[in-house]
């Protein structure tokens, strides 16, 4: 290896992101033109970039509306691009959802709805029941984000308080044919939970949602509790899916495979630990530090020089008032656990370019991270306790700030082991 560890790790992250970019992964999955018209709708951090890719490769007229996160827009000619808030929904998301629903009214069996779904769609596609004020849904979302719930748990709850999630968007498109092209950001690629499954049948029950809320000690307001009770009586939507095709065009595993190929080309032995790693960020880091040091000392389960790759979505139970996200929190805990090991470096980044709500995708840890922190009188444990990993890595100039990548296959982690030296 002739490159510095930081450059190697950044190249692996770039390979993972590039594999999931719409211009790379979407064109092969475009369906045939219908007899009637084609309407494009979409929701998620990649929705605008996906719409632009469709425009660039579609032979025929298009119309439609997509909604993406603020700052993730791309200029389109035929498809209207709207922006709204993520991860907590806002009124702009409600208004955009109304426009999406409006553009799919009055379609026929000869028409095609091309639905472009990517991570972030749950917050951006917003239509709560009339009995639920947006402010109450916002408060519920904040509680779920802070308590350490998994993305599947959060989206299970979201589906029960929505008129478009859990397959209801697909039902609204009938009798037109629908093809949903999906970039997965959910561990396990479960279609029911990617963007809360707007084009997939909802099998989540009110009892399951109640159990999730009880697990995290989240109490519902009176209006939300009544809406949850009524959601038990909603009819199943399975018959609405006879003319719906859901297609995964990019997944965390595909991006890990791309990073593994890049690693091999650099003379590294890649080991993919999994594409659906979940749990508390700081605790997952301790486990992965143990695997990395085993590689360095015992050459197990893979011989250095090597790289441990993983995806999924770790979570943070917020108890402090600092700044950061799951990737920087993972890295700070990893650095502490590695204790300056002289042959191990690591990167952890969200593939959408945004770790939590900050301007970074993640950060990089190198063997001298703790030493440089000591020189600046930074206490890693204090920063970790305050959930302030962003500020820790900002002080060290170790943040990774690529800006919005316009795709999202969740978290990417790579731990580089250069040899068998012990720190």
């Amino acid at each position: 290896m002739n490159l510095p560890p930081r450059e190697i790790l950044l190249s692996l992250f770039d390979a993972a992101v590039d594999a999931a970019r719409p211009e790379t992964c979407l064109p092969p999955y475009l369906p045939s033109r219908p007899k009637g018209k084609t309407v494009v709708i979409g929701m998620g951090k990649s929705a605008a970039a996906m719409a632009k890719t469709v425009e660039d490769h579609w032979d025929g007229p298009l119309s439609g509306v997509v909604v993406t996160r603020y700052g993730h827009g791309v200029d389109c000619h035929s498809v209207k691009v709207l922006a709204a808030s993520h991860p907590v929904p806002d009124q702009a998301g409600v208004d955009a959802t109304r426009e999406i629903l409006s553009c799919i009214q009055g379609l026929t069996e000869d028409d095609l709805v091309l639905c472009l779904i990517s991570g972030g769609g749950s917050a951006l596609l917003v239509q709560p029941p009339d009995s639920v004020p947006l402010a109450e849904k916002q408060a519920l979302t904040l509680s779920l984000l802070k308590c350490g719930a998994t993305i599947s748990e959060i989206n299970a709850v979201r589906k029960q308080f929505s008129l478009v999630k859990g397959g209801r968007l697909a039902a609204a498109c009938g009798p037109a044919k629908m093809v949903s092209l999906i970039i997965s950001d959910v561990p396990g690629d479960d279609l029911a939970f990617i963007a809360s499954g707007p084009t997939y049948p909802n099998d989540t029950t009110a009892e399951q949602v109640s159990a999730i809320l009880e697990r995290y000690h989240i109490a519902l307001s009176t209006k939300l509790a009544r809406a949850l009770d009524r959601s038990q009586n909603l009819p199943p939507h399975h018959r609405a899916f006879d003319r719906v095709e859901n297609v995964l065009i990019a997944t965390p595993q595909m991006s890990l495979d791309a990073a593994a190929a890049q690693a091999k080309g650099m003379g590294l032995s890649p080991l993919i630990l999994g594409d659906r790693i979940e749990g508390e960020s700081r605790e997952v880091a301790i486990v992965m530090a143990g695997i990395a040091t085993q590689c360095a000392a015992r050459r197990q389960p893979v011989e250095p020089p090597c790289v441990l790759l993983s995806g999924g979505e770790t979570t943070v139970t917020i108890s402090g008032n600092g700044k950061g996200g799951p990737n920087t929190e993972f890295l700070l805990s990893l650095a502490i656990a590695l204790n300056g090991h002289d042959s191990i470096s690591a990167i952890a980044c969200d593939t959408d370019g945004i770790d939590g709500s900050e301007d970074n995708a993640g950060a990089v840890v190198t063997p001298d991270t703790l030493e440089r922190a000591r020189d600046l009188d930074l206490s890693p444990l204090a920063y970790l306790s305050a959930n302030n990993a962003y500020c820790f890595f900002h002080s060290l100039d170790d943040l990774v700030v690529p800006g919005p990548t316009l795709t999202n296959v969740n978290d990417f982690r790579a731990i580089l082991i250069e040899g068998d030296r012990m720190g």
Side-chain angles (χ1 to χ4, degrees), residues 184-252:
S184 171
D185 72 327
V186 170
D189 307 323
D190 191 334
L191 295 172
F193 296 105
I194 302 170
S196 297
T199 63
Y200 193 80
N202 178 28
D203 292 323
T204 303
T205 67
E207 289 80 6
Q208 291 170 326
V209 169
S210 295
I212 293 169
L213 296 170
E214 183 177 349
R215 184 178 308 130
Y216 294 103
H217 309 291
I218 297 174
L220 293 179
S221 68
T222 300
K223 290 181 179 179
L224 284 171
R226 288 175 180 168
L228 182 60
D229 287 340
R230 283 195 291 271
S231 73
Q232 298 180 73
N233 301 317
L234 289 172
H237 291 276
H238 293 269
R239 286 177 295 177
F241 296 89
D242 292 343
R243 291 174 58 79
V244 177
E245 181 181 0
N246 290 294
V247 184
L248 285 166
I249 65 170
T251 67

Side-chain angles (χ1 to χ4, degrees), residues 5 13 36 63 91 168 178 200 223 226 234 267 340 413 420:
F13 174 59
S63 64
Q91 185 61 44
R168 295 176 179 90
M178 168 179 272
Y200 193 80
K223 290 181 179 179
R226 288 175 180 168
L234 289 172
R413 292 174 293 272
D420 58 359

Side-chain angles (χ1 to χ4, degrees), residues 22 26 40-42 46-57 62-68 72-82 116 406:
L26 189 151
V40 176
I41 60 174
S46 189
M50 293 173 80
K52 179 63 166 60
T53 300
V54 171
E55 288 188 343
D56 289 344
H57 292 84
L62 292 169
S63 64
V65 180
V66 301
V67 57
T68 191
H72 290 239
V74 174
D75 290 335
C76 293
H77 301 295
S78 303
V79 179
K80 186 175 183 179
V81 176
L82 301 174
L116 311 175
L406 307 182

Side-chain angles (χ1 to χ4, degrees), residues 135-343:
E136 295 199 7
K137 190 163 185 177
Q138 291 171 322
L140 176 61
T141 301
L142 275 171
S143 297
L144 289 165
L145 292 171
K146 290 181 177 180
C147 72
T150 67
I151 186 61
S152 295
E153 290 173 327
I154 293 172
N155 287 354
V157 175
R158 283 166 156 164
K159 286 194 288 185
Q160 297 303 100
F161 300 101
S162 174
L163 299 179
V164 285
K165 297 177 174 65
R168 295 176 179 90
L169 180 64
C173 290
K177 176 179 173 62
M178 168 179 272
V179 175
S180 290
L181 303 181
I182 303 168
I183 296 177
S184 171
D185 72 327
V186 170
D189 307 323
D190 191 334
L191 295 172
F193 296 105
I194 302 170
S196 297
T199 63
Y200 193 80
N202 178 28
D203 292 323
T204 303
T205 67
E207 289 80 6
Q208 291 170 326
V209 169
S210 295
I212 293 169
L213 296 170
E214 183 177 349
R215 184 178 308 130
Y216 294 103
H217 309 291
I218 297 174
L220 293 179
S221 68
T222 300
K223 290 181 179 179
L224 284 171
R226 288 175 180 168
L228 182 60
D229 287 340
R230 283 195 291 271
S231 73
Q232 298 180 73
N233 301 317
L234 289 172
H237 291 276
H238 293 269
R239 286 177 295 177
F241 296 89
D242 292 343
R243 291 174 58 79
V244 177
E245 181 181 0
N246 290 294
V247 184
L248 285 166
I249 65 170
T251 67
Q253 182 63 42
M254 294 175 187
S255 285
L256 290 175
D257 288 340
Q262 174 78 0
K264 286 181 181 179
M266 304 176 81
L268 300 168
S269 298
L271 177 63
I272 297 177
L273 299 176
D275 68 339
R276 59 190 75 185
I277 306 298
E278 296 183 273
E280 277 288 323
S281 295
R282 61 181 66 188
E283 295 172 5
V284 172
I286 294 170
V287 173
M288 290 199 176
I291 299 172
T293 53
Q294 180 75 2
C295 287
R298 309 296 184 195
R299 301 180 178 272
Q300 300 171 330
V302 61
E303 185 172 345
C306 59
V307 62
L308 307 177
L309 302 169
S310 64
E313 184 171 36
T314 61
T315 52
V316 176
T317 301
I318 297 175
S319 57
N321 60 355
K323 297 171 64 177
N327 288 286
T328 49
E329 177 129 341
F330 167 87
L331 286 170
L332 181 51
S333 179
L334 182 76
I336 293 169
L338 290 174
N339 194 30
H341 195 295
D342 65 359
S343 63

Side-chain angles (χ1 to χ4, degrees), residues 379-392:
S379 167
L381 286 172
Y383 276 82
L384 184 63
S385 178
N387 301 122
N388 201 18
Y390 175 93
C391 292
F392 178 86

